[in-house]
Amino acid sequence: MGLTNFKDIAGDKVKQIAIGDPKSVPAGTYAKLAFDELGITAQVTGKFLLGADVKAVLSYVESGNVDAGFVYSTDALTSTKVKVVASAPNDINAKVVYPVAVIASSKYPNEAKDYENFLFGAQVKLIFEKYGFTMASNK
């Protein structure tokens, strides 16, 4: 379709865009934020096919049932049937964080801390990066 950036989906070429339902899917909320920030919400809202989750959105794109979709890059990397043509603005991407912490009332605080340390280890870092994730500091 010749898409190269987000603003291309606002044009007439794109008839349908899959996103997660912003009422229940975080990726849909991020999509809405990106469209708002880019100033294209009014042009794209009528084109939405809402998915129950990111996997459903990815499936809509893979099957060709939509012209474009908004998913996490980590999910897009799992498919050989889609092409990533644009990334959301950095201030939107920066909000996607998966925290980890040991609960103060844990029955197994030492084991929980061991697991937390494991998640920040070099071996796990390589696995996360293989699937498109970046590591935050554990301090």
Side-chain angles (χ1 to χ4, degrees), residues 87-120:
S87 294
N90 284 336
D91 58 333
I92 301 295
N93 288 335
K95 294 179 183 177
V96 182
V97 176
Y98 297 95
V100 61
V102 177
I103 306 299
S105 62
S106 173
K107 291 182 182 180
Y108 304 99
N110 294 333
E111 291 83 354
K113 186 63 179 169
D114 287 346
Y115 182 65
E116 180 183 36
N117 289 335
F118 167 76
L119 290 175
F120 284 97

Side-chain angles (χ1 to χ4, degrees), residues 2 19 21 29 35 41 45 47 70 73 80 94 108 126 131:
I19 69 168
D21 186 340
T29 302
F35 299 145
T41 302
T45 299
K47 300 178 182 188
F70 190 103
S73 61
T80 59
Y108 304 99
L126 291 174
Y131 290 98

Side-chain angles (χ1 to χ4, degrees), residues 19-97:
I19 69 168
D21 186 340
K23 293 178 183 173
S24 59
V25 181
T29 302
Y30 299 131
K32 178 80 170 67
L33 287 171
F35 299 145
D36 288 347
E37 183 168 316
L38 295 167
I40 61 173
T41 302
Q43 295 95 331
V44 298
T45 299
K47 300 178 182 188
F48 291 162
L49 173 62
L50 301 180
D53 56 36
V54 173
K55 297 294 184 193
V57 171
L58 185 61
S59 176
Y60 297 151
V61 178
E62 288 176 325
S63 65
N65 288 327
V66 296
D67 300 315
F70 190 103
V71 299
Y72 298 115
S73 61
T74 51
D75 287 293
L77 288 172
T78 67
S79 176
T80 59
K81 298 177 182 178
V82 301
K83 177 182 175 187
V84 176
V85 296
S87 294
N90 284 336
D91 58 333
I92 301 295
N93 288 335
K95 294 179 183 177
V96 182
V97 176

